[in-house]
Amino acid sequence: IPGQNRDPSKDKKFRKSKINLLKSLDLLIIDEISMVRADVLDGIDETLRRYRRDSRPFGGVQLLMIGDLHQLPPVVRQQEWNLLQEHYKTAYFFGSLALRSTDMIVIELKYIYRQSDPIFINLLNKVRNNELDNSVIETLNSRYNPDSPKDTESVITLTSHVAAAKRINDHRLTKIKLRSHKFKAEVDGTFPPHAFPNDENLEFKQGAQVMFVKNDLSEEKLFFNGKLGKIIFIDSDEITVLCEDKQEITVVPATWENTKYNLNTNTKLIDEEVVGTFTQFPLRLAWAITIHKSQGLTFDKVVIDAAAAFAHGQVYVALSRCKSFEGITLHSRIEPTSISTDQVVQSFEVQSSQNAPNEDMLFAAKRDFEQYLLRELFDFKLLVTAIRSLLNAIIEAANALHGGEKQKVVELGEIIDKDIYVMGLKFQPKLEAYFLNKSLPSENQDLMKRVVGASGYFCDQLKNKIFDPLSAFSITTDNNEARKRVASRLDFLKKEVFIKNACFETCREKFDTQKMITAKANAEIDYGKKSPLSKTKTRAPSEVKHKKLYNQLINWRNAEAEEAEIEGYKIAQIRTLIEITEVLPQSIESLKRVYGFGKKKLIQYGDFVCKMVIDYCEENNLEGDQMVYASKATKKKSPPKGATQALTISMYKNGGSIEEIAKERELAKSTIEGHLSLGVSTGELDIMLFMKNEKLNNAVAYFEKTEDKSFTIAMNKLNNNYSYGELRMVLGWMELKGDKKED
């Protein structure tokens, strides 16, 4: 209901592919708009605004609505209208609050294709426009004939209710004293019952009147939706229908497809995916159908029973289905009360006709739209808001962060303010001066030169001074809530910069409306695919001197936490790891003085951490704190079973197989593989010891092209040719390779 606070938990959640589809829309077409309710159209508006992050009506998507308001109206139950009438003047689509906020253009298509007799057309227009008098009523009722159509006639009855149509069809079928044939549809995959294009169960007899409910898609084009005929032969595999034009058509079951539409993030085009099929004969009994079902169909002859017409436009729809007046038979007389045209519709049409579009309006709309795009392009308020929001999140989480994030964001904020936002403010008055010219902005040569020059400047600022530093930004904290809050705002800022830069890139040579729209939509999609901050690997804080050692410690901590199924900070806090890189403790006595290493953790992890520091110092010719591996009180030949990965790596180097190590240490094979993957990620073990080059390349190729690093999905996609441990090794090796490139 408009004006009410929505419960976000009850909102329909869309998949990422559906959201990308909504973001990529240029034009939304809605057919049979007469049947769309105002609140449904407002729901479409709200959804598009939310997912496109665009406050304009329908999220800035152009809307094309097609239909005839004098045909079937929207369905609104009384209890629903009791709630809606406080907010809507009418249930018709043009009562939509979103639509009323736009400058809607109405174009009337006046050429009539179904009828050619001018007298009949004039009669239909009088019914359509509720211009009834005694002469019109008398003319219509001249087609009144209460007798049922003869069994030999290929004619269809249009009724106002489903029950009436079924009653007629069942009655006529029982009058045929021949064998009955029943057919059940075959449903494969996903095809919900409410979307079935025909009845799941059909019953026919030889001599039954039927109607085709599908177009013939073959080259012969033998039938079309709405074509009538009579069954002259029937068996389990095929049905022969003799049509009004004396043509015999052999009919076999047809297949309808339930198609799902997804946006291809590479081509930016919509892909069709068939998720289910419905196979059934494309026929239904057709001595009678509802007026509602007849909408869009055309008949040579028709019997109309509209005595119980309950909706505006039903009689008009029924009459206008027939090609000629002579082809109509009225089963019940038409009374003036049976024909009604909604006064709201008439009022809307009168108002629309007074605002018919012309070339000047089209030109003004183009000009206004180009001006809107340019104003939006050089408006950087959202970037300023985003950087301030990020700074606030960092200040709120200051005690939990370990990376000097605040100073970096302050510096970026100053660049955005001085070199981008202020420069944009200075450019906007120049734009407005050019807009005083009544020509299209894209045709103003001087303006276009200024736009091209300014676009080059802002591209350089956004990419080099903002986007690249943001890509190197890291969040170092053990506080998950703080991480999520900061990461979310950081991601929003980076995405805004990415999209803005993409729009400016299209203008470096020439401003083009369509290219601008496409660039913005594609950037929304490409950001999630190519540059998601949430996928960026964790980096060492900038103030950490020995970043390689820090990364080794982080990998060790994460592996231990995964094995123990606990949070990483319970093994060692980030503050602890940073202090280790500063002190470089090489003995248990030295490690005791590091924050977070108590007696229990010294016993569990002390030897391994000291050994890691010693190896790092020897490799880099460093002098750490006490060049002694361990004190006499705690010195052991190897760490306790299951406590560290160092023992596993050492045993493997000494010739032990994975199976032998797992058996000796009383651990699962997958756990041993996890330990060894740490050795691969630190460069201590060569991945080629565990798999051949071809196998490595296949896994690397998969991980490089997918966003989801789930091992379960990866195993399935890779035909179960890898263990979890092997996949961990591949990712560890890829991370090590990436670190070396950065160094």
Side-chain angles (χ1 to χ4, degrees), residues 237-472:
D237 298 317
E238 63 180 41
I239 299 172
T240 302
V241 177
L242 177 63
C243 298
E244 298 171 290
D245 54 8
K246 307 304 180 183
Q247 181 185 22
E248 291 185 11
I249 301 175
T250 300
V251 187
V252 296
T255 298
W256 288 262
E257 295 178 342
N258 181 24
T259 304
K260 185 172 71 173
Y261 299 94
N262 296 305
L263 185 75
N264 186 315
T265 56
N266 293 320
T267 65
K268 311 301 186 301
L269 299 176
I270 295 174
D271 288 339
E272 297 182 4
E273 177 187 359
V274 177
V275 296
T277 58
F278 177 96
T279 303
Q280 178 61 287
F281 280 97
L283 300 168
R284 68 167 24 147
L285 292 177
W287 285 289
I289 63 172
T290 62
I291 296 171
H292 184 277
K293 287 289 185 183
S294 76
Q295 184 153 325
L297 302 180
T298 300
F299 305 109
D300 291 320
K301 294 181 179 180
V302 65
V303 174
I304 298 174
D305 182 9
F310 59 89
H312 296 294
Q314 273 200 327
V315 172
Y316 170 71
V317 170
L319 292 170
S320 61
R321 297 310 91 195
C322 200
K323 290 182 178 179
S324 67
F325 185 61
E326 291 73 22
I328 295 173
T329 298
L330 298 180
H331 190 66
S332 54
R333 288 185 181 276
I334 292 179
E335 304 295 335
T337 54
S338 301
I339 301 175
S340 59
T341 300
D342 197 321
Q343 296 302 313
V344 175
V345 171
Q346 284 190 319
S347 175
F348 172 75
E349 288 197 329
V350 170
Q351 182 181 358
S352 299
S353 65
Q354 295 172 352
N355 297 300
N358 54 43
E359 289 293 333
D360 291 339
M361 293 175 63
L362 176 60
F363 180 84
K366 287 183 177 180
R367 183 189 63 220
D368 292 346
F369 187 60
E370 287 189 5
Q371 290 179 359
Y372 169 83
L373 288 179
L374 288 169
R375 288 191 182 102
E376 182 184 51
L377 182 64
F378 291 98
D379 184 347
F380 298 97
K381 288 194 291 289
L382 194 56
L383 283 187
V384 173
T385 301
I387 192 75
R388 289 175 181 171
S389 176
L390 173 60
L391 182 59
N392 289 338
I394 289 174
I395 291 173
E396 291 169 5
N399 292 333
L401 300 177
H402 304 276
E405 292 89 350
K406 178 181 176 181
Q407 185 57 36
K408 297 174 190 175
V409 172
V410 168
E411 292 171 359
L412 286 174
E414 291 174 351
I415 295 172
I416 289 176
D417 275 332
K418 177 184 174 183
D419 297 338
I420 297 176
Y421 177 66
V422 171
M423 297 302 289
L425 286 178
K426 291 180 179 179
F427 193 78
Q428 287 170 13
K430 298 183 176 109
L431 275 180
E432 298 303 327
Y434 282 112
F435 291 164
L436 294 175
N437 188 316
K438 298 303 181 182
S439 64
L440 290 175
S442 58
E443 295 178 354
N444 188 317
Q445 300 277 332
D446 292 336
L447 172 58
M448 289 300 97
K449 288 180 181 178
R450 297 296 296 268
V451 169
V452 169
S455 296
Y457 168 81
F458 283 114
C459 277
D460 294 339
Q461 298 297 314
L462 288 167
K463 184 179 185 308
N464 300 328
K465 293 188 177 181
I466 307 299
F467 190 78
D468 289 347
L470 283 176
S471 298

